Amino acid sequence: MPDGPSSPTRLGDLERVVMETLWAHERGTLTVRAVHNELAADRDIAYTTVLTVLDRLAKKGMVLRERVGRSWEYRAAASRAELTAASMRHTMEDVDSGDRRAALMHFLDGASTDEVADLRAALAEVERRANPDA
Amino acid sequence: MIAAMPPLALVVLALLMGGVWPRLMARQTRFRYTPQAALLAWQAVSLGAIISALAAAPAAIPSFSGGRGLGDQWVLLALVCLVSGAVLISLLVSGHRVGTRLRALRDDHLALVDLIGADGQGRDRSVRVLEHPLPTAYCIPGRRSRVVLSQGTLEQLSTAELDAVLAHERAHLQARHDLLLEFFTVVHEAVPAPLRVPVALDEVRLLIEVLADRVAIREAGAVHTARALFAVAAGRAPDEVMSGGSAAGPRLQLMAGAHSTPWLTLLAYAFALASVLAPVALAVWPFTM
Ligand SMILES: [Zn+2]
């Protein structure tokens, strides 16, 4: 099923492309016109669509905007690395919070250093059972 | 007086199934060898507790019919109505709260990983790869589900181990383990805080992991699944502060000691059946007298 122009997936994709454009400019600010120019280079996209996407991202707190002269300039609120680090910290530190544990299902809920020796022994036992002659 | 028995028995049963049995069941670790049947038993006990509590008030009705009047039985009526009403309301409130919270968390997180994550191998959009050296893997259940991996996982795990991780996560998504966990969370939170049994929720959570591990073992083999689990645990251990042990230990030990358990399975199914039938029988009985 093709996505309509305003379907969430397509907007999500555009948000991603816009963020990537802003990230590529290392905290530099860009006008809507500049973002549009970069995006229009390899796709058919309206200026107002870019404006809408930037607006949505600003509402989500992903981009910051400031008035420069007569136009708005936009920049990423945080770099991709910062967001990734924060996200990893969140999902891994809050493993004890019941909500996050029920919302996201982790392959492993965490492990402590003093546990690793026991885990190694259990792994050796699995390997030994699978291959008794070795 | 005999008419007062079923409603009172239902209240007692609700307390047993809601608070006492879960404590005892959480200690029966040998049922981890038959996770599917064990999870069914857990669901049946939760359901049995709910049926008992909800049926207590209706089951009291026949005591007052036939023109016998309220007499001195109004205390009983008040008690059972209180129990049934309170349980119904707390279940509805808990269901709404838990559902809203989980969906908000998932929506926010999904939007974030769609922005910051890269596509998985072969431009697979449903897999998001986070640019981070620590190994981690999880899934975001829901209508638009995602499997999230970190670059550390891709680098530290072999292809076969990665297959095990993906099979594990996809098992969660396909079997909708999130709904199962949500059901138990709703029931758990419907109970007043001092009466909750956190060990029961932990055991259920572990059983769900064991179930997904079994799918991973079927698809990638026990050795690769165990190695994947170990690699993720070892790769993250120094960075995590956890008071108790994680579920990795029990899960690896289950893989090491795997054996068939037909009797335990049968026992769990029989227990599940009895847990639902007992309250239903008690609820229907007054109307047949
Ligand atoms: Zn899992």
Side-chain angles (χ1 to χ4, degrees), chain A residues 105-108, chain B residues 137 139 168-169 172 177 205 208-210 212-213 251:
Chain A
M105 308 190 81
H106 281 259
F107 180 59
L108 180 64
Chain B
C139 60
H168 175 107
E169 296 307 329
H172 281 323
H177 288 163
R205 202 175 266 137
I208 291 175
E209 291 311 320
V210 175
D213 281 346
R251 280 163 67 189

Side-chain angles (χ1 to χ4, degrees), chain B residues 11 17 40 47 57 67 74 81 99 155 163 168 176 209 227 249 255:
Chain B
V11 170
M17 291 210 202
L40 195 80
L47 201 63
W74 64 272
C81 284
E155 278 160 17
D163 285 344
H168 175 107
R176 291 309 304 261
E209 291 311 320
R227 281 182 188 153
M255 287 178 207

